[in-house]
Amino acid sequence: MDRDAKERIADFGEVDLGFTEAEVRAEAARCIQCKKPKCVNGCPVGIDIPAFIHACEIGEFREAARIIKKDNMLPAICGRVCPQETQCQGECVLGNKDTPISIGHLERFVADWERREGIETPVRLPATGRKVAVVGSGPAGLSAAAELARLGHAVTVFESLHEAGGVLMYGIPSFRLPKDIVQTEIEQVKKLGAEIKTNYVVGRSVPVAELLGYDAVFLGTGAGLPYFMGLPGENLCGIYSANEFLTRVNLMGANRFPEKDTPVKKGKKVVVIGGGNVAMDAARVARRMGAAVTLMYRRGEADMPARLDEVRHAKEEGIEFMCCTNPVRFIEGENKAVAGVEAIRMELGSPGDDGRCSFAPIEGSNFTVEADVVVEAIGQGPNPLLLRMLPDLARNKNGSVAVNCLGQTSIAKVYAGGDVATGAATVILAMGTAKDAARAIDKMLRGAPQF
């Protein structure tokens, strides 16, 4: 159940209120316990979904939590932000004729129940005496750290920001992912034995030579480098990348300036460019800061990569969708500040190999939209700061770290996972690649066969 839109746009409180215990048990009872559960194959971290659902059905929520945490130490996070509809739930056979099991809501309930009733830390294997450095404390870094610590290795996580959590803290707004929940799950990773050092920039605070002195290294630095359109007027005041805009609000509390030290311009008319989840987050944050918000997207609504729930929530909250529209320049107003966006209508063509329609500008269809703040949310790539300090590290054409199926990079003992290796993706996909790399690191450290 969701909070009423008129109420929720006035604060940053969580929108989705989740299931009640009765709803959870009723939903779990719908599961037919397939002999060959496709839902497990659809989960990037391989949770035994039928087993935890059965535990929910009979009210054994402690056992359900144990089952989930064998494979996922961040269940309250994943239950809220993972796109289950295209992963585990997308594989549920009940969806062929009916509605698939709401696996995400069940996982969220179990994690929240355990947080209320007392969290149980999984058993850690005996110490191996091997040391592993993890760079980055986002979903990939935290997952790798948890897995390696549980396997008995001494793990040190280096985080450049003052708060651990990466994109979970700076990128995803509290109304989708409350920050106390993120910190609670980070504490569980610490209780497994992982040490997290904040305000540590590898290559600056920690020399690269020191990093490479560990028995193994995992790079989980994410995709924090924002892309820009390169349009005329892009340097005007009031134009932000979604990365900067969301970081200022989510991590630094700019919506509460001057109570908090970090400012952000509070626009009256905000244009957000993009159609993914990040664009929805930026638009909904701006709405909560009192702006009239227009979302500008070059394709049709059906082609938006954002989750359907996020699109629905944005519309309910009064955000105007301006599809088949693309900016061509930013208009200058007083004091070198943005005053508007000149855009052009787009004509959609045939779907491509990815199922999304091609597009082309309609000549002579230019028009302007007033805006005192513009947020560009058109994607992001790996931050090159650390990667440039590792000249022997092979990279792909898009700048991501080149890895094999085990997460191994071109440098011995150095592994990578998450967005830094895959390009910008989802939280759970980052966790899945990190978990695979962590297990490969464990085998390497133990001298076990990798394949």
Side-chain angles (χ1 to χ4, degrees):
M1 185 176 70
D2 297 336
R3 293 171 61 208
D4 181 77
K6 291 182 180 179
E7 171 194 324
R8 70 192 192 223
I9 62 171
D11 60 46
F12 280 73
E14 194 165 14
V15 170
D16 187 340
L17 299 177
F19 280 8
T20 65
E21 180 175 335
E23 289 170 334
V24 164
R25 296 187 67 170
E27 184 69 6
R30 294 177 55 231
C31 179
I32 60 176
Q33 295 291 318
C34 302
K35 291 183 179 179
K36 295 182 179 180
K38 293 183 178 180
C39 56
V40 177
N41 296 333
C43 175
V45 295
I47 294 171
D48 187 348
I49 294 171
F52 107 74
I53 288 180
H54 176 67
C56 288
E57 180 183 358
I58 62 176
E60 293 290 342
F61 301 120
R62 177 72 66 190
E63 179 61 20
R66 291 180 186 136
I67 293 167
I68 293 171
K69 287 163 67 176
K70 286 178 183 176
D71 296 292
N72 178 12
M73 282 296 294
L74 309 176
I77 292 169
C78 291
R80 286 169 165 82
V81 303
C82 287
Q84 293 95 359
E85 64 275 9
T86 60
Q87 295 176 340
C88 54
Q89 288 174 203
E91 296 292 334
C92 177
V93 297
L94 292 182
N96 294 334
K97 294 183 179 180
D98 196 1
T99 304
I101 301 295
S102 294
I103 299 169
H105 276 103
L106 300 186
E107 181 180 30
R108 169 185 167 167
F109 176 88
V110 169
D112 290 352
W113 180 93
E114 188 188 36
R115 193 169 68 257
R116 290 193 306 271
E117 301 299 323
I119 296 175
E120 187 177 273
T121 303
V123 176
R124 186 184 184 216
L125 294 182
T128 64
R130 309 307 291 271
K131 297 181 179 180
V132 183
V134 173
V135 185
S137 68
L142 291 172
S143 294
E147 191 70 17
L148 289 163
R150 180 156 41 186
L151 291 168
H153 305 299
V155 179
T156 302
V157 181
F158 296 103
E159 168 56 49
S160 62
L161 295 176
H162 64 284
E163 289 270 12
V167 71
L168 303 173
M169 288 296 293
Y170 73 73
I172 303 175
S174 295
F175 53 78
R176 282 215 294 136
L177 181 60
K179 302 313 166 196
D180 60 324
I181 287 172
V182 177
Q183 292 304 314
T184 296
E185 301 213 318
I186 290 173
E187 285 302 313
Q188 292 310 298
V189 176
K190 290 181 180 178
K191 286 183 178 179
L192 281 170
E195 180 185 13
I196 299 179
K197 294 185 175 183
T198 56
N199 294 312
Y200 271 76
V201 179
V202 171
R204 297 289 191 266
S205 310
V206 183
V208 170
E210 181 181 332
L211 181 73
L212 297 178
Y214 281 77
D215 296 310
V217 177
F218 175 81
L219 304 178
T221 50
L225 181 69
Y227 295 150
F228 289 92
M229 301 184 74
L231 298 178
E234 200 163 49
N235 290 326
L236 292 171
C237 297
I239 298 180
Y240 296 88
S241 69
N243 184 294
E244 179 185 355
F245 181 75
L246 290 172
T247 299
R248 283 175 176 268
V249 176
N250 296 337
L251 185 64
M252 310 300 290
N255 58 302
R256 300 197 300 277
F257 180 82
E259 174 190 342
K260 296 291 184 178
D261 293 335
T262 300
V264 72
K265 185 174 182 179
K266 293 186 178 181
K268 294 181 179 179
K269 295 182 179 180
V270 175
V271 169
V272 176
I273 303 165
N277 289 324
V278 175
M280 298 301 155
D281 286 343
R284 296 174 67 197
V285 164
R287 186 77 181 98
R288 282 161 173 75
M289 293 172 67
V293 183
T294 300
L295 189 93
M296 198 173 282
Y297 183 57
R298 63 188 180 181
R299 290 187 169 96
E301 184 178 323
D303 292 319
M304 283 184 170
R307 297 180 69 184
L308 293 179
D309 277 350
E310 301 310 316
V311 172
R312 175 175 59 82
H313 286 152
K315 286 185 169 182
E316 289 172 352
E317 291 167 8
I319 292 161
E320 179 188 359
F321 278 51
M322 193 175 285
C323 296
C324 298
T325 303
N326 209 33
V328 295
R329 72 180 180 98
F330 301 110
I331 300 168
E332 183 175 349
E334 296 180 356
N335 301 317
K336 296 189 179 299
V338 67
V341 180
E342 181 182 340
I344 191 169
R345 304 288 185 190
M346 308 298 285
E347 182 178 30
L348 296 182
S350 301
D353 293 338
D354 61 357
R356 300 166 76 197
C357 292
S358 60
F359 55 90
I362 300 173
E363 189 175 349
S365 65
N366 295 50
F367 66 103
T368 60
V369 178
E370 288 185 32
D372 51 1
V373 169
V374 174
V375 180
E376 295 189 54
I378 61 169
Q380 57 273 340
N383 191 320
L385 179 62
L386 170 63
L387 307 186
R388 287 173 181 165
M389 296 181 187
L390 297 168
D392 295 330
L393 189 68
R395 288 191 272 172
N396 299 311
K397 289 182 179 179
N398 66 354
S400 61
V401 176
V403 296
N404 65 10
C405 61
L406 299 174
Q408 291 174 314
T409 73
S410 56
I411 301 177
K413 303 189 302 181
V414 177
Y415 293 69
D419 289 0
V420 74
T422 63
T426 62
V427 167
I428 191 65
L429 286 174
M431 293 171 60
T433 59
K435 182 179 174 182
D436 290 343
R439 290 183 172 178
I441 290 171
D442 177 64
K443 288 182 178 180
M444 182 268 291
L445 293 176
R446 295 177 189 275
Q450 292 285 300
F451 292 97

